[in-house]
Each structure stands twice: as structure tokens, then as C-alpha cells.
Amino acid sequence: MGKMLEDYDHLLNIDFDRSYQIPFQQAEEYITAAGRETEKLDGIWNFAPDVYDTFIRKKFFEEVYQDEQGRDKPVDCNFDQWETVRVPSNWNLQKEKYWFFEGTGVYTRRFQFWKREEGERVFLRVGAANYECRVWLNGKLLARHQGGFTPFVVEITRHLKEDNRIILTVNNERKLEQVPSVNYDWFNYGGLSRSVELIRVPGTFIKDFRIWLVPASGFGRIGILAEIAGDASGKEVTVEIPELGVTKRFLVHADGKVRGIIEAAPELWSPEQPRLYSVIATCGNDRIEEQTGFREICTEGKQVLLNGKPIFLKGVCCHEESLENGRVLTDQERLGILMEAKNMGCNIMRLSHYPHSERMAALADKVGMMLWEEIPVYWALCFSQEEVYNNAQNQLKEMIIRDFNRPSAVIWGIGNENPDTDERLEFMKKLNDCSHSIDPSRLTAAACLVNIDKMQVIDRLCQHIDVVAINEYYGWYYRDYDGLKEILDNSVLGKPLVISETGADSVQGHYGDEEELFTENHQSKMYRKQFEISDGYIAGIFPWILYDFRSPVRLNPLQDSFNRKGLIGADKKYKKMAYEVVKGFYCRG
Ligand code: GCU
């Protein structure tokens, strides 16, 4: 390329981004951080909104500040003089001018690193970056990831120096071929929403470790699956569960995998008795430890069984949102949400419509709350495109691998209100099979639309998922209630049916006739009717939603860019009349 083109590449090269479109990180590259002492890079980073992708057009990551004669150049990448933001955070809440910004945010900081052990390996873990993230370390592009709500890991061992410059770009533009696509009923918070940290491991280490109660095994067999990275030949993995008096050694197979069974009869985990056990796995001089629980979730006819007993899913849906911090919640806030649901009488929460922080499942394990976790296969997607399927499947795998050892996670949700087309059916059948093949210990579900021509639940996906779920808003989008009874009478499914969403907007403190929309009175009546009509037909119900939440699609002045279907206000304090109706139904004994 001539000097002219080289110097003006950032202006003249229409294809400037192509060489940075390296393959996306895959779930298979993930490594477990369970019980590991990670080194967080959270805190103050330099930041700039990069509206025209100047960062890569001008190759800021090269950090060329002088010309060949050593004279200063007029550059814009004097990173240390940029403004600062906290990581993790969503830029929308960092500055008024970034509220609706949809584009690339450039985050950067320096950090020092010293090797501790000969042969150690170092990985960078990003807890979540919405939506597409690229990672540069010391001027080199090392990783690219898509999907705004699941973690990814990249090895950085051989790129580390004593003084390091790390740069993460995060782009949250909504695009047709993404998962989710361009239209959804929640706020598009951009940025590094969860922690960025370093994980050090020995040369040979436990890359993945999964443990579960083997279904239909009389609650007496515990399955183990582990993967060893590095030189695994002839190695053993020792698994200890001290409170069960278990210490068992497993030989690592040539493929680095360990599969085995431990005969033991643990106390079972349940919402009432969230019994957890410390599990330690060692291999050579690597050691991981985590708290997990043992339970069985399955279906029998139209019922869901927990530990062999029918359980009615007393649910509620919830977005991951804090008014002050967007998707970045504290453990205290997460605990508050879980305890709010528990006090309302819930035994399960649907963490809508994307994987929430892994901290939510860890805390749900402790407090005793089952979870329906889901990937954002939401409304219309480009279901016919293979790369869209690969993206959705990768997000599903990242969610399952991340939370596999969380007993609270009982349902993997693979879709929400998608059109019943042939392309979508193929897409979802593959996702459903993928979930079952990775994780035979959990149920699959999808929130389906009801067919209002035939007044029936006849979504073809229902033949494949374990739990049929329907979102229906009789009393709100459809003012009468007769349709609900007709649908329930017409739908013979032979498997559990839950109402995965039902609700009505109400403005907190706005009272009136119970037929007046947006009043607390109307919202209360809607729930009374829903519980009355659905009684006996369903295996569970998930009111939409625990808290009011931000959504740009809500333009009604009473909504004011919020979806007001919360049982509690967005401030997480004001309980509406309907909250007591739901609580009364769940706690009626
Ligand atoms: C849909 C959708 C939700 C949405 C809700 C509503 O069912 O799944 O994400 O917020 O309806 O209309 O309030």
C-alpha cells in the first residue's frame, strides 16, 4: 500500500473494520473460576464514546505518539487524559449525554503484572459486555465476543508484560442479525456490565467441573464431569465432599475428560431447605472449590416434580435492573430482589429475558429460590441465518456452563414469543436438543404465543420442550377474560403448562374503578381473575413482573418510558395493591 493510502487509510478505507472481525470466542474456551482467587481489574478506567469508530480507523491501540524524528504527533489516543468511568458500569448512567448512546465505548487502563509460578497460565475473564466486545492487550487484538449477558475468557499468558495496557471496546448497537435483534421491551444499557478479572492457573489445570444429582437414580448417585487442560496424561482428579464423607479419585482420560459417578445420599436442596455442600476438586497442584446442592427436577404428566414431589411453580418475572446503575447490581440489591420474591410466597423466579449475573444464581442457591434462566431469543430474529443460530447456541452454552453447578437453576429458557414458522422451529428444536445434550439434569421451556385464531396452544415447539409456557395478557391487551378459559379448555398438551407471563400496567398510587386501565385497582382485579380462571389448568404462573422497568418502547405518558406492569414500583419500594393479591394467592396454604 503506498504511503498516501497508508497515512489516509482511516479516511479512504471503506472496509476498515474487516481485519478486526476475528472469530468470536466460543463457550468451549471458557474456564471455571470456582473458588479461584482472581485478580479483579475493576475500578477506574479511562473511557471515550467512539461514535465513528475512530479508535480502529486510526489504530489507537498502536499508541504511536511521535513521528520518525521523535516529535510529538497530534493524536487523540492520549488515553490517560481521557475521562474516567467505573468498571463495571453502563455508560448510559455515567453521563447525561450518554443516555441513549448506541455505539462503541472504548475502555482502557494500565495494570502491572508479575509472574508468580513457572509455567503458570493467565486468562482474562469478562463477566458480561453488551453487546459486542473486542480485547486488545499491549497493542494486540486477542479476542472478540458477541452476546451481552454471558461471560467469556481469553488466554493472555504470552502477551503479558510487567506494565500492561488493556483496551476493551464494547459496541451496543442493535442489529437485525443479533440475538436479540433490534426490537425489545427493555433498555439497551451498553458497556462492561460485570467484572473484568485475571485468572491464574498452573500449567495443567481444571478447565471445567460439573456435578449434579443423576435424575431417576433414587437420589443416590452424583454425576461428575471434568475437563483437564494442559498435560493431563496419567493425571487423576480427586473430588471431595467432606460432609458426605466422600473422597474419590478419577483417572483423567486421554481426551482430558473425567466422567464418573459417586454413590452418596445427600440431603436434597429445595426452596424450603436450600442445603448446600462444599465440593473440592483437585488435580496436580490445581484446586477448585464451590458450594453446590443436589436436587432432581423433572416432569410427570402435567406436573413438575422437585425431588420426586409435585410442586406448583409460584413464580414471578424480573429484569436485571437498578434505577441508579442499570444492569450493574450489588449483591445487596440481588439479595433484596430474591427476598422480596420469597416474602411474596414465590418458589421460583424467571430471570427475564437474558442471563442475569452469576451472583443471582449463587445467592438463589443460598436463600432457596428456583430459577428459570433464559437466553434473549426474543420476538423476531433472523431465524434462517446459520450465524444467528450459532450465536444463540453459544449464548445458551455459555449460560449453562457458567451456572451448571447451581441447584437453584432448574429451567433453561430458550425463547420468548417467537413466531411459529418453519425456520424458527428448526432453530429452536436444535437449541432444545443442545440444552438436553449438555445438561440432562434440567428442564427446557420457551414462552410461547397462543394461537388466537384457533384459541389454542398449538405452537409446534411445544412438542419438544419439557415445560410448555404461554404469555397471555387477558384482562390487559385483551380486555375480556373468556378467551383465557377457552384457550385452557382447548389445549390438551400432556405435559406441564405454565403461564410464563401475565400482567397489567398500573401507575403507583393511581386509584380508580377496577375497569379503568393503569389503575392499581384494575391491575389487582386482573390478577384475581387470572388466578381464578387458570386454577386447575396450570403447573405454575409467573406474573409479569416484580418491578416496573425502563423501556423506550413505552411511550404512553402514564408509562413515561417505563413498563409499569410491576407489582412493585421501579424504586423497589412501593408495593402496589396487586402485590398483595399475588401474595395472598401464593401464601393461601
Ligand atoms: C411480552 C414480553 C415482555 C413484555 C411484556 C409486556 O410478553 O415477553 O418482555 O415486557 O409482554 O407487554 O409488558
Side-chain angles (χ1 to χ4, degrees), residues 185-186 319 350 353 378-379 416-417 447 471 473 476-477 501 505 544 549 554 563 565:
D185 191 11
W186 65 82
H319 269 293
R350 181 183 170 202
H353 282 292
Y378 183 91
W379 288 353
N416 183 79
E417 295 193 354
N471 293 354
Y473 283 88
W476 176 252
Y477 293 119
E501 283 183 35
D505 282 64
W544 184 265
F549 61 95
R554 301 296 165 178
N563 184 308
K565 294 190 181 66

